[in-house]
Amino acid sequence: MTKFDSIAIVGVGLIGGSIGQALRKRELAREVVGVGRSARSLEQSRKLGAIDRGTTSLAEGVSQAELVVVCTPVELIVQHVQEAAAASPKKAVLTDAGSTKAQLVAELDATVNAADGGPRFVGSHPIAGDHRSGCEFARPDLFENRVTVVTPTSDSTASAVERVNEFWQGLGSRVVEMLPEAHDRALAITSHLPHLVASSLAGLTPGEYLPLTGGGWQDTTRVAAGDPELWRQILVTNRTAVLEAIERFDISLAALRTALWKGDDERLLELLQEAKQVRDALGS
């Protein structure tokens, strides 16, 4: 990977902080600039090794950047990419780390990528993280051997896509290219629905039962401890695909319920075996 002269990270939390730590550990950028709302938190990010310097001015932070990575909550990504594009060098490439893609990519294709001779945007989503948030939980190996989905469209330039792919590969990721809509349909099943199921299970469990929970309940509900506001944004920006995933889950759960209600042990075993085969195929 060609070394970057300057990379700006907008939003130095868990993902942004892990990107910064990985860049600095792997010596992939001469300078990593953090952009955030609080000078105090940016100084903490610097002490944690996530950035070389920080600024609360987005325009200042991206003014010399070859690559800008926006790691803010999904409802703010479009705004922050547009602001960064207006202040970045013309040859800069911009990307993001948002968990939903179709809506924001469409908006940024129509604005940033529609402009002549300016910075180019390519969407991306590293499938890595933690239910905890904040730079204090960042780690430089977060993206190693994890998939990052890059979502180019017909409005993306080949050079920008190549640069974004190269960036994530440099952090240790395996890059998979998908259309934004395909990404959102897939993540509705693999990420967004599991969060809803975890939240539902945690929410219906009486407090007096908590001492009786074991690994199954705790593993299943772990992601429910994630930031509710961040997850609200993810779910509403992928509303259609998530609703379709819920319908599919309802059908699957109904089949299990029917087999159990009818005392159809053979069908119940068949459904459980089918699910086990899918889970075993993951290999871990």
Side-chain angles (χ1 to χ4, degrees), residues 45-113:
S45 297
R46 188 191 65 78
K47 291 180 179 179
L48 290 168
I51 58 176
D52 294 301
R53 64 180 178 89
T55 176
T56 57
S57 167
L58 190 149
E60 176 188 336
V62 305
S63 62
Q64 302 298 319
E66 294 176 60
L67 177 72
V68 179
V69 189
V70 177
C71 303
T72 53
V74 290
E75 287 187 345
L76 296 175
I77 288 174
V78 169
Q79 173 190 338
H80 287 152
V81 171
Q82 290 172 340
E83 292 175 355
S88 299
K90 290 184 177 181
K91 294 184 178 180
V93 174
L94 299 93
T95 190
D96 73 307
S99 298
T100 64
K101 296 265 75 82
Q103 180 177 315
L104 72 87
V105 169
E107 290 187 53
L108 292 170
D109 273 350
T111 53
V112 173
N113 287 340

Side-chain angles (χ1 to χ4, degrees), residues 140-223:
D141 64 348
L142 187 66
F143 311 105
E144 292 180 8
N145 299 314
R146 303 301 297 269
V147 168
T148 292
V149 180
V150 174
T151 58
T153 69
S154 58
D155 292 312
S156 307
T157 63
S159 60
V161 174
E162 180 181 3
R163 200 64 165 134
V164 170
N165 287 351
E166 187 180 51
F167 163 71
W168 289 111
Q169 289 166 349
L171 302 189
S173 280
R174 292 179 286 117
V175 171
V176 173
E177 290 189 15
M178 299 177 72
L179 291 174
E181 295 78 10
H183 165 277
D184 285 4
R185 288 193 300 270
L187 269 291
I189 289 287
T190 63
S191 176
H192 308 161
L193 177 63
H195 191 92
L196 284 175
V197 172
S199 296
S200 178
L201 178 57
L204 66 81
T205 304
E208 60 266 28
Y209 290 179
L210 293 179
L212 304 176
T213 61
W217 188 95
Q218 293 168 16
D219 290 346
T220 303
T221 61
R222 178 184 59 81
V223 294

